[in-house]
Amino acid sequence: MSEIESSFETITLRNLDAMNEQARDALPYGVVGFAADTIVQTYNATEARLSGLDPATVIGVPFFEAVAQCMNNFMVAQRFEDEPELDAIIPYVLTLRMRPTKARLRLLATAGITRRYVLIER
């Protein structure tokens, strides 16, 4: 996969979901994948390093209720509930467990793939 195909703006949900863990860990932005019930299934090394959270403590935990409570609002969590087809980049400020940090979030979901993703570029 070329750098253009795996950049924050261009990677497709299908390509992201098909990547193995090592490939997702090599991406320069955070990747969090979760099921429809928001239980975290994927937490890449970049996000672990930038957030300071060990993936072992995040996998299996409800994302919006326990890991990223600052995203549990109408701009992020509610969009996954309301929009079965979602590919949106939004400016955001991360606030949980850190000083306010400007970021961009890319929200990805589609009816054909059970895992949903939040990409985080700081």
Side-chain angles (χ1 to χ4, degrees):
M1 183 176 305
S2 74
E3 185 174 317
I4 292 172
E5 293 172 332
S6 63
S7 76
F8 181 83
E9 292 86 3
T10 61
I11 193 165
T12 66
L13 192 148
R14 191 162 307 283
N15 285 346
L16 185 63
D17 199 56
M19 285 180 162
N20 63 32
E21 186 176 322
Q22 291 172 326
R24 276 194 291 263
D25 283 347
L27 294 171
Y29 47 83
V31 175
V32 181
F34 52 90
D37 61 4
T38 81
I39 300 296
V40 176
Q41 298 175 335
T42 298
Y43 199 82
N44 81 340
T46 302
E47 186 55 25
R49 180 173 46 79
L50 295 173
S51 70
L53 297 175
D54 182 340
T57 66
V58 173
I59 302 294
V61 174
F63 183 61
F64 296 114
E65 290 80 20
V67 179
Q69 294 161 330
C70 66
M71 294 185 201
N72 194 4
N73 55 46
F74 72 96
M75 293 182 290
V76 183
Q78 192 62 47
R79 290 191 71 178
F80 283 102
E81 294 300 316
D82 295 344
E83 302 177 43
E85 298 293 327
L86 181 59
D87 185 354
I89 295 175
I90 60 171
Y92 205 76
V93 177
L94 302 171
T95 58
L96 189 65
R97 298 184 186 104
M98 61 182 72
R99 62 182 165 79
T101 303
K102 289 184 179 180
R104 290 192 313 155
L105 305 180
R106 186 165 173 210
L107 315 177
L108 293 166
T110 188
I113 297 176
T114 57
R115 193 177 294 162
R116 302 163 177 187
Y117 289 91
V118 174
L119 310 183
I120 306 162
E121 183 180 68
R122 290 169 176 85

